[in-house]
Amino acid sequence: MDFSSKLLENAVYEVSQLPGIGKRTALRLVLHLLKQPEQRTENLSTSLVDLRSKIQFCENCHNISDTTICEICANPKRDDAVVCVVEDIRDVMAIENTGQFRGKYHVLGGKISPMEGIGPQNLKIGTLVDKVKKGVIKELIFALSSTMEGDTTNFYIYRQIEGIAVKTSTIARGIAVGDELEYADEVTLGRSILNRVPFEGSFRQD
Ligand SMILES: [Zn+2]
């Protein structure tokens, strides 16, 4: 692409670095911004800079938060004893939308994936195991997507806490294998949390 302006070229380049946005779409978006009042672009830039500089991760559950302890963890009406293990904030949002879960979360920050070079040490598994060892948690609900990576991660955590008196369950799979949680409709997801099944027996023991 030949640009008549270096400023335009830079802006298009930065926007095109976002996933799913090619150079042509980036150009269209940047030209759109140029037609809008200047304030719009300022708001956009400020919100992104603020996001990066001010965002925090909850010290307890590792969810994205504006405070050191997130709203869910700080809520005394929520049950500390039931913890739902999820991959990221999108799963928290999906489960919260069902209105069926009154426990707390633990956000791993991903799934074990040897293909992508993600091992247990790259995820927030250690802090989860520590919490379980402290004995406050009575039930862990594995709510990772039922992909091979999700199953591997569930099983890894399960092995880490084996022998500790904590109930483990997994969300019932009305959700087809391979579906990501965030795409499950609220009714199905809500039902699968209520109808969760014991983790033992949910996996094959070869
Ligand atoms: Zn939290």
Side-chain angles (χ1 to χ4, degrees):
M1 244 183 228
D2 255 348
F3 291 92
S4 57
S5 151
K6 192 72 189 160
L7 295 171
L8 179 65
E9 186 177 354
N10 288 346
V12 169
Y13 171 77
E14 292 303 334
V15 174
S16 73
Q17 296 305 296
L18 295 168
I21 310 258
K23 275 266 168 77
R24 290 170 69 91
T25 307
L27 177 60
R28 185 165 58 79
L29 293 173
V30 168
L31 291 176
H32 170 79
L33 282 174
L34 271 181
K35 281 190 211 145
Q36 300 278 310
E38 207 173 324
Q39 190 64 43
R40 279 217 79 86
T41 312
E42 258 169 45
N43 293 349
L44 174 65
S45 334
T46 312
S47 71
L48 293 176
V49 171
D50 280 354
L51 175 77
R52 284 315 301 251
S53 61
K54 295 182 184 162
I55 205 94
Q56 306 198 45
F57 291 89
C58 172
E59 283 175 1
N60 183 50
C61 72
H62 312 296
N63 197 17
I64 292 173
S65 170
D66 289 352
T67 45
T68 48
I69 297 292
C70 77
E71 272 180 28
I72 296 173
C73 287
N75 184 346
K77 289 190 185 134
R78 301 200 57 139
D79 190 355
D80 283 324
V82 185
V83 171
C84 192
V85 181
V86 295
E87 186 183 341
D88 67 25
I89 189 170
R90 290 171 297 178
D91 304 327
V92 174
M93 291 164 76
I95 294 172
E96 283 301 288
N97 278 339
T98 69
Q100 299 290 345
F101 182 64
R102 300 304 298 160
K104 295 193 174 170
Y105 295 92
H106 187 92
V107 181
L108 296 173
K111 288 175 287 196
I112 296 173
S113 172
M115 295 279 283
E116 292 170 44
I118 304 169
Q121 71 283 359
N122 303 115
L123 304 172
K124 301 288 186 193
I125 292 178
T127 51
L128 175 63
V129 174
D130 288 347
K131 276 195 270 183
V132 172
K133 282 181 179 162
K134 277 185 192 150
V136 182
I137 303 173
K138 300 291 174 230
E139 181 180 359
L140 271 191
I141 305 169
F142 294 116
L144 301 179
S145 54
S146 54
T147 54
M148 196 157 75
E149 289 84 4
D151 291 345
T152 305
T153 311
N154 288 340
F155 196 65
Y156 179 86
I157 297 170
Y158 177 73
R159 294 301 292 269
Q160 298 290 305
I161 57 170
E162 231 177 347
I164 304 173
V166 61
K167 193 173 149 193
T168 47
S169 56
T170 182
I171 59 172
R173 294 297 178 187
I175 304 167
V177 171
D179 278 357
E180 298 291 336
L181 276 191
E182 59 168 325
Y183 302 125
D185 71 83
E186 286 165 22
V187 178
T188 310
L189 183 56
R191 210 179 291 139
S192 39
I193 292 167
L194 291 177
N195 299 335
R196 57 189 183 267
V197 294
F199 183 67
E200 298 84 350
S202 72
F203 54 86
R204 279 180 302 135
Q205 275 175 314
D206 296 320

